[in-house]
Amino acid sequence: MKSTDDNLEAKFADVVKCCASCGIAEVDDIKLKNCDDCDLVRYCSNGCQEDHRLQHEAMCRERAAELRDELLFRQPENSHLGDCPICFLPLPLDTNK
């Protein structure tokens, strides 16, 4: 279960676009990079990412698992009109429309 501090941290970093570790804001000369696994927080350097790892690790692991599940269980785009009620084979698309 996520703690409220972790939720606030992710929301704050996303809205303000600042480094989750040191709090430096993203401006023209400072580009922040997203966490590779969860995309919830941003960091200004590898050092900040390493410093913040202990606080972020549990939330990151949980969000990364959610993203993998979404990708794994995503339904494919509809390529047919449904299944035949008798043989359960996919019915072809209606080309008249």
Side-chain angles (χ1 to χ4, degrees):
M1 181 176 227
K2 292 182 184 178
S3 71
T4 55
D5 290 339
D6 289 341
N7 288 335
L8 290 174
E9 173 186 295
K11 288 178 184 177
F12 179 75
D14 189 44
V15 172
V16 178
K17 294 189 179 181
C18 63
C19 178
S21 180
C22 68
I24 193 167
E26 183 174 44
V27 291
D28 292 337
D29 58 336
I30 298 174
K31 298 294 181 190
L32 301 177
K33 57 183 180 174
N34 289 341
C35 174
D36 293 332
D37 294 327
C38 70
D39 291 332
L40 287 176
V41 295
R42 293 176 175 87
Y43 298 103
C44 63
S45 67
N46 288 337
C48 278
Q49 187 172 6
E50 290 172 12
D51 291 344
H52 192 248
R53 184 169 309 199
L54 290 176
Q55 291 107 354
H56 177 63
E57 188 172 16
M59 180 179 60
C60 182
R61 199 175 313 127
E62 184 176 330
R63 179 63 182 151
E66 289 173 3
L67 291 173
R68 280 192 301 274
D69 287 348
E70 288 174 13
L71 182 63
L72 181 63
F73 295 110
R74 182 181 306 149
Q75 294 295 319
E77 296 294 325
N78 287 339
S79 60
H80 55 83
L81 293 175
D83 296 334
C84 173
I86 297 170
C87 65
F88 299 108
L89 291 175
L91 297 171
L93 285 175
D94 188 8
T95 57
N96 295 333
K97 290 185 180 180

